[in-house]
Amino acid sequence: MSTTTIAPLRRGSNSLNEYHTNAVAFDGIVGSTGTSQMEEIVTQTDEGYANPNGDGGRSKVSFMTWRMCSAVHVVRVHWIPCLLAVGVLFFTGVEEYMLQMIPPSSEPFDIGFVATRSLYRLLASSPDLNTVLAALNTVFVGMQTTYIVWTWLMEGRPRATISACFMFTCRGILGYSTQLPLPQDFLGSGVDFPVGNVSFFLFYSGHVAGSTIASLDMRRMKRLRLALLFDILNVLQSIRLLGTRGQYTIDLAVGVGAGVLFDSLAGKYEEMMSKRHNVGNGFSLISTR
């Protein structure tokens, strides 16, 4: 395959001609490799990005370079950010200006509570079933805790343990800083975690965050079936927590985000400490030297 050299763009009266020459040359290269039609060429100079208008200077206003084909490309390829942008406009225009907040004397409104009304009525009328589900949920909490500690003690991988420490410490700080009222119709159980119907922080859900941390570690280790099992159990425990009014929907949603966030922070901590001590990928909380 022949090689074509694209000359750099220079300032001067011939800048526009050189821009088109480069575009044609690059299009020939792309076409020879079987790649689809070239959509856009950006030529970088020592001053920044060249202005295709021919002045050779730096284009300081980004939207002045936009074209209709660029907009179509964005919508077709980057449809997720486009949907998010529509969501921003909707919630800003509708909820911020039109939604009436509930009065201070009322119970908090939670859409998850509305969706699980039938489950709540079932558990309220069947205390034994509520106790069984609470016990199973406590077993699941024990499973995720065992896995997180196991990865450190038995496999020598402390990332999940560090992540859990970060997560529960931050949860304690936030839970103490803003203490949300426990729903008046909460269906407690003596075998639920924390065991004994003791007080606990609502924001955010440690149940969900811990499960997310364990699942993320399983995926890193290619334990995909176990990760899928934990994800399913995490969904089921979320439904039960809503059904018993033990957590608000926002607690569960932020719990997922907290698990992802603190897993990422733990990874950055491992990377930082590995570089500082020049241990490569063999990071460990306990020195074996």
Side-chain angles (χ1 to χ4, degrees), residues 15 37 44 105 119 126 165 168 189 200 213 220 251 254-255:
S15 297
Q37 181 182 3
Q44 189 173 12
S105 58
L119 177 60
S126 304
C165 291
F168 279 108
S189 173
F200 58 91
I213 290 172
R220 273 194 301 273
D251 303 329
V254 176

Side-chain angles (χ1 to χ4, degrees), residues 73-226:
H73 175 79
V74 168
V75 174
R76 179 169 56 86
V77 177
H78 305 287
W79 57 271
I80 294 180
C82 290
L83 287 180
L84 295 177
V86 172
V88 170
L89 296 176
F90 173 78
F91 287 113
T92 301
V94 176
E95 288 200 346
E96 298 290 343
Y97 291 96
M98 300 178 61
L99 181 65
Q100 296 296 320
M101 303 301 291
I102 60 173
S105 58
S106 300
E107 277 280 291
F109 171 79
D110 192 297
I111 193 171
F113 289 5
V114 175
T116 56
R117 282 175 177 170
S118 58
L119 177 60
Y120 174 79
R121 289 193 293 264
L122 174 63
L123 296 177
S125 62
S126 304
D128 292 339
L129 177 60
N130 183 39
T131 299
V132 170
L133 294 180
L136 292 175
N137 204 157
T138 299
V139 170
F140 179 51
V141 173
M143 289 169 57
Q144 58 185 258
T145 303
T146 301
Y147 178 84
I148 290 173
V149 176
W150 176 279
T151 59
W152 174 36
L153 297 181
M154 305 304 292
E155 300 180 2
R157 299 184 299 104
R159 177 169 174 171
T161 305
I162 296 173
S163 177
C165 291
F166 282 170
M167 182 270 291
F168 279 108
T169 300
C170 184
R171 177 177 180 267
I173 295 172
L174 293 178
Y176 181 81
S177 301
T178 302
Q179 300 176 29
L180 301 176
L182 189 67
Q184 294 182 3
D185 49 359
F186 168 61
L187 299 176
S189 173
V191 297
D192 203 357
F193 184 85
V195 178
N197 269 334
V198 297
S199 60
F200 58 91
F201 293 134
L202 289 172
F203 190 84
Y204 43 83
S205 174
H207 289 70
V208 172
S211 303
T212 303
I213 290 172
S215 175
L216 290 172
D217 185 85
M218 293 169 186
R219 281 179 163 76
R220 273 194 301 273
M221 301 305 296
K222 307 303 181 182
R223 300 165 178 167
L224 301 182
R225 291 184 178 179
L226 189 58

